[in-house]
Amino acid sequence: MFYLKISKNICLSIFERKHATDLYLLIDRNREHLSKWLSFPVYTNKIEDTIAFIDKSQKRYIDNNGFWAGIWYKQQLVGAGYLYIDWKAKKTEIGYWLGEEFQGKGCITIATQQLLNYAFKTLKLNKVEINVAKKNLKSLQIPKRLGFVEEGIIRDYEYLQGRYHDRIVHGLLRTEWVNQK
């Protein structure tokens, strides 16, 4: 299984069924916070929903098509990062979310950096994308901080909380990533 120790306090690990309760409780505690920008909290109403999600992620991992990884800070689940793989186009998209109480600790930036390293070094992909709601100002800082290029806006991408949200598409090519080093 995928496991990556990032620092003394932070690690990434693919979700397993044993994480279902912790994952559900983190989502439930942050339902209002997460629902501003993401649709899944509306559909995560019981632990069985997180078990189904974990099973889907494990299948994706087994099929070599990506995975969802939990982000742990001081051995506590604090959020998640996503990696799907489009092998034909040699690209992936990273998505992330974090419990509100864990913001400001650098978890998302460092986890995303490690997922970039994994995508480019291990998987030998050519491109990584991050799509962020246009008004999610905190989340927009991550691709900017990591050297992504803003590629465009998808208008009315998602309907959440009674309104449409535009998404900004950011991309980073392998050559750009190598030149950052």
Side-chain angles (χ1 to χ4, degrees):
M1 288 294 169
F2 177 85
Y3 175 86
L4 183 61
K5 180 88 171 161
I6 297 174
S7 71
K8 178 181 173 187
N9 294 323
I10 302 172
C11 73
L12 289 169
S13 178
I14 191 167
F15 282 116
E16 298 176 48
R17 280 185 164 215
K18 67 183 180 182
H19 303 127
T21 299
D22 289 340
L23 178 58
Y24 174 76
L25 292 173
L26 180 63
I27 292 167
D28 195 47
R29 272 194 324 272
N30 287 277
R31 192 171 301 281
E32 185 178 331
H33 166 69
L34 296 172
S35 294
K36 292 175 191 172
W37 312 114
L38 302 165
S39 62
F40 73 86
V42 173
Y43 307 108
T44 308
N45 298 306
K46 53 190 181 295
I47 292 173
E48 290 77 15
D49 296 332
T50 58
I51 291 171
F53 166 76
I54 289 168
D55 288 348
K56 183 178 177 182
S57 178
Q58 293 240 327
K59 180 170 179 3
R60 184 173 279 183
Y61 183 77
I62 290 166
D63 292 344
N64 197 27
N65 193 27
F67 53 87
W68 267 97
I71 302 168
W72 276 263
Y73 177 75
K74 295 184 177 179
Q75 300 181 338
Q76 182 177 7
L77 181 62
V78 299
Y82 172 74
L83 187 66
Y84 83 86
I85 302 167
D86 178 342
W87 288 109
K88 187 175 181 181
K90 297 188 88 173
K91 71 175 186 171
T92 188
E93 179 182 341
I94 296 174
Y96 44 80
W97 61 269
L98 192 64
E100 189 171 23
E101 66 270 35
F102 300 106
Q103 292 181 344
K105 299 181 185 321
C107 294
I108 292 295
T109 301
I110 196 167
T112 302
Q113 179 64 59
Q114 292 306 311
L115 288 172
L116 284 172
N117 291 341
Y118 182 75
F120 290 129
K121 284 183 181 178
T122 304
L123 300 177
K124 307 290 188 212
L125 298 178
N126 183 59
K127 184 178 184 182
V128 175
E129 294 178 350
I130 295 178
N131 300 335
V132 180
K134 185 177 179 180
K135 293 187 179 182
N136 188 344
L137 302 180
K138 286 185 180 181
S139 194
L140 282 170
Q141 295 307 308
I142 304 302
K144 289 178 183 177
R145 193 175 295 132
L146 296 175
F148 280 71
V149 173
E150 185 176 315
E151 296 183 340
I153 297 174
I154 304 172
R155 299 176 301 146
D156 288 352
Y157 177 83
E158 197 164 28
Y159 190 75
L160 300 169
Q161 303 291 321
R163 55 185 259 219
Y164 285 100
H165 294 270
D166 295 347
R167 283 276 175 112
I168 300 177
V169 178
H170 301 86
L172 184 67
L173 302 176
R174 172 194 284 280
T175 54
E176 295 164 337
W177 174 76
V178 168
N179 290 333
Q180 288 179 4
K181 302 237 167 238

